[in-house]
Amino acid sequence: MNTKTALARTFGTILTVLLLCCGVAAAADDPSDADLYQSQAVVTGRGDANRALGLAQCLQDVLAKVSGDPRLIGDPAAIALGANVAGLVTRFEYHDHLSGQPIHDEQGSYDRPQDLTVYFNKTAVDSSLNLLGRQPWRAARPRVAVFLDIRPPKRVFVMTSDNEEDADMRSALQAAATKVGLPIALPTKAQLAQKGWTVQTLPTADLTELNAAAKSGIGDTALSGVLVWSNEAMGWVADWRINGRHKTFHWQIRGVSFDDAFRNGMRGALQVLSGHGQPK
C-alpha cells in the first residue's frame, strides 16, 4: 500500500467516526460562513469521474480558504482527503456553460463544460483542518485595497474601480479574491490623483502611505502589485507587496496568465494576513 492510499484510508476512517458522532450530515452551515464553505470548479460533463475531480479540487480550495493557508492546495495530506470528499459535502449543483445551445453530436452530451458548485459541511471541514494541523481563521477578514499597476505591451495603466477599459481584468481579480474569501476594493481615479500616484510612481509608493490611503475610505489594508507582460517569460510577471505582522512581505510569479497572477496575489495576501508567513 502506498503512502497516499494509506493516508486516504486513515483520514476516511477518522472522518467517518467524526461524521457519525457529530451528526454533521444533517447539520446546517452558519449563514455567515456560507461563502467560506463553498467553492466552484469547471468540469467537463456530469459523469462520476469528472465530478470526483471537481469535488477534490473544491475541497482543497475550501480548506485553504477557511484556514487562510493556501499551502494546503497541492499538499499531499490535503489531496489524500479528496479520496473521501463525498463525506464532507452537503450538496452540489451544476450550471451548463452552453445552456440553451443544442448538443452537438460530435461533441457528445457528456462533454459540455459545467460550473460545479460544491457546498461543504462546516463541522466536517473544521475537523478535517484539525487532522491537517490547521485551524479555521475566525478573525474578521480585512477588506484589501488593491493598488495595481499594469503594463501590457502597448499601454500602461492603474486598475481602478471606475475604468471601463480593464473590465476583464477586474472580473478576474474579483474571482481570485472570492476564491480565497477576501473582500477587496479598488481605488478610483480621483483617489489616486489626490495622492499624486500614477502608473510611474505607484510601484514605488511607500506601503505605509498606501495603507493610510486604504483606511481613508477604500479598505482596511493595502496590497501593492505590478503586473508586467514579458516576452522573455512568455507571460505576465507579477510582483506583490503587503504589510502584515509588523513586517513587509514581497513575492513574485513569472510567465503566467493574468488570471494566475491574480490568484497568486490573492493567495499570498491571504497567507500573510492570516499569519501563515511568507508567500512563494
Side-chain angles (χ1 to χ4, degrees):
M1 182 186 304
N2 61 38
T3 302
K4 183 175 180 180
T5 302
L7 280 169
R9 290 187 177 178
T10 300
F11 283 130
T13 300
I14 297 174
L15 285 172
T16 298
V17 173
L18 287 169
L19 290 168
L20 291 174
C21 292
C22 298
V24 297
D29 288 340
D30 184 335
S32 64
D33 292 325
D35 291 338
L36 293 181
Y37 289 86
Q38 71 179 62
S39 187
Q40 188 177 87
V42 178
V43 296
T44 304
R46 302 190 180 191
D48 292 344
N50 288 327
R51 182 167 58 253
L53 291 173
L55 291 176
Q57 178 185 330
C58 287
L59 174 61
Q60 289 186 60
D61 288 339
V62 164
L63 291 172
K65 179 164 56 171
V66 173
S67 68
D69 190 355
R71 295 172 300 178
L72 287 175
I73 298 173
D75 179 84
I79 292 173
L81 282 173
N84 300 282
V85 64
L88 308 178
V89 174
T90 301
R91 73 182 194 278
F92 59 85
E93 57 192 36
Y94 289 99
H95 172 70
D96 190 343
H97 277 213
L98 303 177
S99 178
Q101 299 183 31
I103 296 174
H104 302 293
D105 292 339
E106 67 275 13
Q107 179 191 34
S109 60
Y110 297 101
D111 293 333
R112 293 162 70 93
Q114 308 275 336
D115 285 327
L116 172 63
T117 302
V118 185
Y119 302 85
F120 289 90
N121 186 278
K122 176 182 175 180
T123 305
V125 168
D126 291 354
S127 298
S128 299
L129 285 174
N130 186 59
L131 293 173
L132 295 169
R134 307 296 201 282
Q135 297 295 325
W137 181 29
R138 295 300 189 200
R141 302 203 170 197
R143 181 172 298 278
V144 180
V146 183
F147 296 91
L148 184 57
D149 192 270
I150 301 178
R151 304 187 177 194
K154 295 184 179 180
R155 66 186 182 98
V156 295
F157 62 95
V158 176
M159 183 181 286
T160 64
S161 61
D162 53 354
N163 184 356
E164 297 180 359
E165 295 181 11
D166 56 1
D168 288 343
M169 282 192 166
R170 287 204 314 274
S171 177
L173 178 63
Q174 181 59 64
T178 300
K179 198 79 167 173
V180 299
L182 282 178
I184 63 169
L186 292 168
T188 64
K189 295 177 184 178
Q191 287 169 327
L192 292 174
Q194 183 180 20
K195 297 294 183 179
W197 288 326
T198 66
V199 71
Q200 287 79 27
T201 62
L202 190 60
T204 57
D206 187 86
L207 268 176
T208 301
E209 295 182 10
L210 290 175
N211 277 320
K215 293 175 182 178
S216 68
I218 306 173
D220 301 307
T221 190
L223 172 66
S224 173
V226 182
L227 196 63
V228 181
W229 176 262
S230 170
N231 290 329
E232 180 183 359
M234 295 185 291
W236 293 94
V237 176
D239 282 277
W240 302 99
R241 295 182 298 150
I242 194 170
N243 281 338
R245 309 286 166 160
H246 309 295
K247 63 181 292 187
T248 297
F249 293 84
H250 171 264
W251 66 102
Q252 183 188 87
I253 190 170
R254 299 178 59 84
V256 296
S257 67
F258 65 73
D259 297 271
D260 285 334
F262 294 154
R263 281 189 282 267
N264 175 259
M266 296 316 303
R267 286 177 181 176
L270 176 74
Q271 185 170 332
V272 169
L273 294 173
S274 65
H276 286 98
Q278 174 65 47
K280 293 183 178 179

